[in-house]
Amino acid sequence: MHLDLNADVGESFGAWTLGDDAAVLGVVTSANVACGFHAGDPLTLRTTCAYAAERGVVVGAQVGYRDLAGFGRRFVDVPPDALAADVIYQLGALSAMAHVAGTRVAYVKPHGALYNAIVHHEAQAQAVVDAVVAVDTSLPILGLPGSVVLARATAAGLRAVSEAFADRAYLPDGRLVPRTEPGAVLHDVEEVAARVRRLALDGVVTAVDGTDVGVRAESVCIHGDTPGAVEMARAVRRELEAAGVEIRPFAG
């Protein structure tokens, strides 16, 4: 049994530092690096790619809406052709930073509100898929199980990779609890580690109403900006390895 651990990184901007990327990248196997639209400045992106390359962590492009002020967590009703162009632009920027750091972009993961929108938004999901197809058909798309974007990716001949979230609460239908609601983000390290162990071994997580939700995933996300993210990532990895789960990247 094997599982990938991914984290959102590269989200600092100018004088504002968000998360401890160097430490997180010592634990996870895949790095969802911001591309400058929702977070991250050029130096941060280059430095983060270098950290990942040094630690043998696979780099993925975390593409998002053009929304620095909202950290990409606000839905933007952008036309599909403009969204596709934005995604292509972000992939190009991060690919250059990764190349300079001696690595490459190996997958794509949408961020924040875009990630949640393309669970059900047909036009925007197709725009993201079209952008990836235009750039490199070997790039997998990482997304929520059962989402429209993963179905569209498969239909386009791309590899669709399902992920679960270590530090986010789930609704009974398998979607994430919106961040605007209480309890959407989990902070108890031991609780999170136990949830991920159960996810890996049994394929289920407990939803906010107490019911079990089936979640089959190749990768588990730990948000780099969550307080205590490094400790949480280490605890999750220890718990999985103790259960006999091999931690390895899904792409490379």
Side-chain angles (χ1 to χ4, degrees):
M1 184 178 296
H2 57 85
L3 195 64
D4 172 64
L5 291 181
N6 75 75
D8 298 348
V9 291
E11 294 177 326
S12 297
F13 190 87
W16 291 271
T17 299
L18 191 64
D20 187 346
D21 290 348
V24 168
L25 291 173
V27 184
V28 300
T29 44
S30 295
N32 315 316
V33 182
C35 298
F37 269 33
H38 79 273
D41 58 69
L43 179 57
T44 294
L45 305 191
R46 183 177 183 180
T47 302
T48 305
C49 286
Y51 284 154
E54 290 168 3
R55 292 158 176 75
V57 176
V58 173
V59 170
Q62 188 163 45
V63 298
Y65 290 129
R66 191 191 300 264
D67 181 29
L68 275 174
F71 197 63
R73 288 181 175 161
R74 303 180 293 190
F75 172 73
V76 181
D77 192 14
V78 58
D81 58 345
L83 178 58
D86 282 352
V87 172
I88 292 169
Y89 187 97
Q90 291 174 81
L91 287 174
L94 191 67
S95 292
M97 293 298 186
H99 174 75
V100 169
T103 184
R104 69 181 184 89
V105 171
Y107 67 93
V108 177
K109 177 182 173 178
H111 167 80
L114 178 59
Y115 184 99
N116 291 320
I118 58 180
V119 170
H120 56 80
H121 196 298
E122 299 275 351
Q124 290 200 354
Q126 189 63 53
V128 171
V129 170
D130 289 345
V132 176
V133 168
V135 173
D136 186 349
T137 56
S138 74
L139 295 176
I141 295 182
L142 188 60
L144 201 69
S147 61
V148 170
V149 70
L150 292 191
R152 293 296 181 94
T154 299
L158 301 176
R159 181 183 172 195
V161 180
S162 296
E163 75 169 332
F165 289 82
D167 53 2
R168 291 294 306 277
Y170 277 80
L171 296 169
D173 63 2
R175 292 180 298 122
L176 302 178
V177 174
R179 284 181 175 268
T180 53
E181 297 185 12
V185 180
L186 308 179
H187 299 283
D188 186 295
V189 171
E190 297 308 318
E191 176 192 358
V192 167
R195 280 168 61 90
V196 176
R197 176 190 174 107
R198 187 171 182 232
L199 169 75
L201 299 182
D202 301 330
V204 296
V205 295
T206 302
V208 289
D209 67 348
T211 61
D212 283 342
V213 180
V215 179
R216 293 290 177 181
E218 295 182 58
S219 185
V220 173
C221 177
I222 299 169
H223 288 93
D225 63 321
T226 298
V230 176
E231 181 186 359
M232 190 176 292
R234 289 172 177 158
V236 166
R237 181 156 188 158
R238 282 197 306 268
E239 189 76 12
L240 290 174
E241 289 178 335
V245 179
E246 179 187 1
I247 308 302
R248 73 184 195 199
F250 69 86

